Amino acid sequence: MKEGVKRRGSKAAQRRGEILDAALLCFREKGFHAASMSYIAKAFGMSAGHIYNYFNSKEDIIGALVARWLKQYISETLIVVEKDPEIQKERLYKIVYRELDKRINSGDKALLFEIAAESLRNEKIARIIRSAEQEAANYLTQQVLERYQALNRKPPKDLVYRLAVGNAIFNGLCFLSISRSDLSLEALTPIVVQLLMNLDGFPIAAADGSGSRHSPSPSGQGE
């Protein structure tokens, strides 16, 4: 009996995932408002009524997509403690380059901004965004606090705000890339790394203050 319920639950989860994939394609093609539930159902090969067995509304689909993106973010964001400052700077460079590349070159960039704009008008979507942002911020803060502890350093009292400023740098550059197609990841990355190091939101130096604070190159060595 339990095995049968488990199989049905697994099948439903798979079907929900497939609907999300179809919805994402529809949103990319039509935009959030133009892609109706019936349009998404048709793209998936399902009746308009049947899709409501899995999602009650487009807002619920957006909530599931945001949850999927959040899960991916958490799975990819792991700050590994490395007491050698040069190795750590090289790792930070790679993290920053990856995050900039994902945000600036994302095929879902237009949809992300559309969802953000919709959250200003739609309280349900606003709650979804706030909840996801808070969970992501909590996860990142915990990661950074563990790194401070491993380096035997006391974190700044305003760490949460420093990380918020760091996040704003990434989001701001993503927004800027809409009008600036000439932005170079290779040029931006060392600048962003230096800004993050100046914020001291991502500790590099060891507890005794050793380790330089200059901008790393892709190889992890100073310019």
Side-chain angles (χ1 to χ4, degrees):
M1 178 70 175
K2 290 183 178 180
E3 187 63 30
V5 172
K6 185 177 180 180
R7 281 199 301 270
R8 287 196 296 273
S10 177
K11 183 68 174 178
Q14 179 183 343
R15 184 59 63 90
R16 280 174 60 89
E18 292 169 349
I19 293 172
L20 286 180
D21 291 338
L24 190 54
L25 291 175
C26 293
F27 290 148
R28 287 171 180 168
E29 178 185 353
K30 294 285 188 179
F32 175 75
H33 284 289
S36 64
M37 289 290 278
S38 60
Y39 184 87
I40 295 170
K42 183 178 180 181
F44 183 65
M46 175 185 287
S47 68
H50 194 197
I51 196 172
Y52 287 99
N53 291 329
Y54 298 92
F55 296 98
N56 292 326
S57 64
K58 281 197 296 184
E59 287 85 356
D60 286 343
I61 291 178
I62 290 297
L65 284 173
V66 170
R68 175 192 280 185
W69 291 331
L70 177 62
K71 183 178 180 181
Q72 181 181 4
Y73 168 81
I74 289 176
S75 70
E76 293 178 350
T77 306
L78 178 64
I79 302 177
V80 178
V81 174
E82 174 53 67
K83 294 190 176 182
D84 184 321
E86 292 303 320
I87 294 177
Q88 185 59 36
K89 282 186 288 187
E90 182 177 359
R91 284 180 173 168
L92 181 57
Y93 186 100
K94 291 177 179 178
I95 291 171
V96 169
Y97 187 96
R98 183 195 70 205
E99 285 301 311
L100 287 174
D101 184 40
K102 282 198 308 184
R103 298 183 190 219
I104 291 176
N105 297 320
S106 171
D108 296 323
K109 182 166 58 178
L111 175 60
L112 290 172
F113 283 117
E114 192 173 0
I115 292 173
E118 182 64 19
S119 70
L120 298 175
R121 300 181 291 266
N122 187 318
E123 179 56 29
K124 185 172 182 178
I125 290 183
R127 287 196 300 269
I128 291 170
I129 298 300
R130 284 196 297 266
S131 176
E133 286 281 358
Q134 189 61 59
E135 188 172 346
N138 290 344
Y139 175 78
L140 181 60
T141 300
Q142 185 59 40
Q143 288 275 304
V144 173
L145 285 173
E146 289 176 3
R147 171 150 178 74
Y148 269 103
Q149 185 177 19
L151 292 174
N152 195 28
R153 289 187 55 195
K154 186 176 181 180
K157 293 181 179 179
D158 58 353
L159 176 62
V160 171
Y161 292 97
R162 294 178 187 231
L163 293 176
V165 171
N167 188 46
I169 292 172
F170 286 100
N171 289 338
L173 287 171
C174 179
F175 185 79
L176 181 63
S177 69
I178 296 174
S179 58
R180 288 286 304 275
S181 59
D182 61 327
L183 293 181
S184 163
L185 295 179
E186 287 71 20
L188 288 173
T189 300
I191 297 171
V192 174
V193 168
Q194 186 64 59
L195 289 171
L196 294 178
M197 291 167 63
N198 291 341
L199 282 170
D200 203 24
F202 297 85
I204 299 295
D208 62 358
S210 63
S212 61
R213 309 286 283 184
H214 54 265
S215 176
S217 67
S219 64
Q221 303 301 315
E223 299 284 12

